[in-house]
Amino acid sequence: MNAHETRTNGVTPFQARDNDWQQIQDALRGLRYGSVNIIVQDGVIVQVDRTEKRRLRQTGGGQTTNNHAAPTNQQRAC
């Protein structure tokens, strides 16, 4: 039993497979605003949720525009 396989109180610590890490990296890739939730059951990753937020910017006159342009320093501040 190596350091990663030691038991604590009779419970095997969580171990992720390489594919699990790849799924998490894929969920994070390109994410600007949002969250990634990892659901674990019995020490196994069973679900990865990605919630992406799209920030809209107010223009004069109360209209909103989608912020797809390259961000400026002002746009990066939340």
Side-chain angles (χ1 to χ4, degrees), residues 1-8 12-15:
M1 199 178 289
N2 65 34
H4 296 290
E5 296 172 343
T6 58
R7 292 179 177 260
T8 306
T12 303
F14 170 78
Q15 287 188 333

Side-chain angles (χ1 to χ4, degrees), residues 33-71:
Y33 303 101
S35 63
V36 174
N37 294 312
I38 303 163
I39 311 301
V40 178
Q41 291 179 354
D42 296 324
V44 177
I45 293 176
V46 296
Q47 185 172 327
V48 177
D49 293 330
R50 172 181 164 144
T51 303
E52 185 171 355
K53 306 291 184 185
R54 297 200 178 204
R55 304 287 180 167
L56 300 179
R57 183 176 175 160
Q58 288 284 339
T59 61
Q63 296 176 341
T64 58
T65 58
N66 201 337
N67 187 9
H68 286 293

Side-chain angles (χ1 to χ4, degrees), residues 22-34:
Q22 185 62 48
Q23 294 293 323
I24 294 166
Q25 287 177 336
D26 290 345
L28 290 169
R29 189 169 288 114
L31 184 65
R32 292 190 55 191
Y33 303 101

